[in-house]
Amino acid sequence: MKKVFCIGELLIDFVAENQGNDLSKAKEFTKKAGGAPANVACAISKLGGKSTFIGSVGNDPFGTFLLDILQSANVDISLAQQSEIFTTLAFVSIDKDGERDFVFSRGADRELKYNSSLKNDFKGSIVHFGAATALLGGNLEDAYGRYFFDALTQNSFISFDPNYRVDLWKNKDSFIKKCMPFVQKAHLCKFSLEEAQLLSGKTSLKKACKTLHDIGTETIVVTLGAEGTLLSTKNYSKTIPSIAVKPIDTTGAGDAFIGCLLKQMSGHPNLDTLLQNEMELTTMVAMANKAGAITTTNFGAIEALPYQHQLDS
Ligand code: ATP
């Protein structure tokens, strides 16, 4: 089984209690672990895969809390760093349909320092780049770019999720520009509908995927919530339905989805042939849809991510 390196942010989600989606009125918050790439690492490990998280938290009680959670989900945290800057915080509200609103207080995640000795470990591995905060500057953006270069030169299988957050990116054009090298070179890109439209400049999903394939990426999955997932390659495009659930919190559904897909891919002997195999990929996406759906039926991200036995039943 291949290792999956997940690079990006790990942070505290302070989730507003009992206030609908209005953060201005929230009085009580519950502390949860968050950060999309860290969630993906946990999704992979909870399903029995091998994941390593590369990111930075503060050398403070929140940072310790976060690393403990990753460790108890069996994620390898030996490459995680603790900086003297406070752990990054996100304040989150969830409305009655499970949709979220955010305010970020950015700290230690931006402090990640590049480690050149990892290059060799990337050979034959999967490297997942989750970009919510990684393209926002700081040491993290620099390290991220260098790890991307290493993954390319080591022929790693590269997965990319832009994790667009409107609160973080006032300048959409800058976000699009910074994502382009990943869209160009990644073997697998995971987008929401909004991200596919934003990055392609096309409203129609079909045209958006064509543009994104033309830019370079081979395989695209567009997660569509209750509608399931559009799987698109240069040769075909199909929507794979999800399972019916009653969602209470959609936090982490996209991360569960891509984590489950990468976990399955990590056990495949030849990822080049897998990407050509429509049937095999479809089966994997259907399983990943199930992981996403199950995640919406519980509060929180990491706590809600499924174990393998939940997917088998
Ligand atoms: P994020 O906002 O975390 O990045 P996302 O927008 O990429 O997430 P979603 O589309 O909400 O992710 O969910 C990912 C996958 O989980 C979907 O493709 C679908 O398979 C499943 N899923 C999500 N919501 C539901 C739902 N209400 N019912 C059934 N399945 C769902």
Side-chain angles (χ1 to χ4, degrees):
M1 188 180 293
K2 294 177 180 57
K3 252 191 185 177
V4 186
F5 292 91
C6 299
I7 309 178
E9 81 281 6
L10 169 60
L11 48 80
I12 301 278
D13 275 336
F14 276 113
V15 183
E17 299 292 348
N18 309 320
Q19 295 297 333
N21 63 353
D22 192 345
L23 273 179
S24 70
K25 297 199 169 56
K27 290 187 181 139
E28 290 164 22
F29 293 86
T30 304
K31 184 179 70 171
K32 304 264 185 193
N39 291 342
V40 174
C42 289
I44 292 165
S45 293
K46 281 184 83 169
L47 292 170
K50 290 205 291 193
S51 70
T52 299
F53 174 72
I54 304 175
S56 170
V57 294
N59 188 10
D60 56 30
F62 288 149
T64 305
F65 163 79
L66 290 169
L67 293 179
D68 283 351
I69 289 201
L70 259 58
Q71 201 162 27
S72 48
N74 281 329
V75 175
D76 171 13
I77 57 162
S78 60
L79 299 173
Q81 298 170 14
Q82 281 191 279
S83 93
E84 290 313 311
I85 312 286
F86 64 90
T87 296
T88 297
L89 309 176
F91 296 85
V92 188
S93 61
I94 301 166
D95 72 14
K96 59 180 180 357
D97 300 318
E99 292 302 324
R100 294 162 287 159
D101 190 23
F102 290 93
V103 172
F104 276 89
S105 177
R106 214 175 163 214
D109 78 276
R110 65 184 299 154
E111 298 304 314
L112 182 74
K113 292 190 181 60
Y114 172 68
N115 174 353
S116 62
S117 65
L118 287 186
K119 201 192 282 189
N120 291 335
D121 298 336
F122 282 1
K123 202 171 278 171
S125 299
I126 296 176
V127 187
H128 174 71
F129 293 87
T133 68
L135 300 174
L136 281 167
N139 289 330
L140 173 60
E141 184 171 359
D142 175 64
Y144 205 72
R146 289 166 181 240
Y147 284 134
F148 180 52
F149 183 75
D150 287 347
L152 285 170
T153 54
Q154 296 301 316
N155 292 320
S156 313
F157 181 90
I158 299 175
S159 157
F160 176 62
D161 179 350
N163 283 305
Y164 177 67
R165 302 277 181 259
V166 70
D167 322 69
L168 291 181
W169 287 94
K170 304 300 171 216
N171 183 345
K172 283 185 184 176
D173 290 342
S174 166
F175 178 76
I176 294 168
K177 197 169 157 208
K178 289 183 179 200
C179 285
M180 277 308 129
F182 295 91
V183 177
Q184 218 171 11
K185 299 286 185 190
H187 301 91
L188 172 70
C189 281
K190 180 245 171 228
F191 301 123
S192 65
L193 176 60
E194 182 190 17
E195 289 162 348
Q197 291 170 329
L198 179 70
L199 294 176
S200 65
K202 302 282 189 302
T203 315
S204 134
L205 188 48
K206 199 172 162 199
K207 286 186 182 156
C209 286
K210 175 162 186 339
T211 302
L212 294 163
H213 285 309
D214 287 347
I215 293 168
T217 189
E218 276 177 56
T219 306
I220 298 173
V221 282
V222 183
T223 49
L224 302 167
E227 306 299 313
T229 302
L230 179 89
L231 168 62
S232 174
T233 71
K234 289 179 180 169
N235 302 322
Y236 64 89
S237 164
K238 67 205 292 193
T239 300
I240 299 155
S242 190
I243 58 165
V245 290
K246 224 171 171 253
I248 54 171
D249 176 7
T250 63
T251 311
D255 304 328
F257 171 88
I258 188 68
C260 180
L261 188 55
L262 292 175
K263 149 70 184 37
Q264 295 173 83
M265 289 180 156
S266 72
H268 197 279
N270 187 333
L271 292 177
D272 289 333
T273 58
L274 171 66
L275 294 187
Q276 311 305 322
N277 189 329
E278 182 177 343
M279 251 170 60
E280 239 182 321
L281 260 185
T282 301
T283 307
M284 287 186 177
V285 170
M287 182 69 91
N289 279 347
K290 196 170 177 188
I294 291 171
T295 303
T296 70
T297 61
N298 280 307
F299 286 105
I302 294 171
E303 306 88 325
L305 296 166
Y307 290 99
Q308 188 62 45
H309 68 87
Q310 292 171 274
L311 296 185
D312 295 337
S313 61

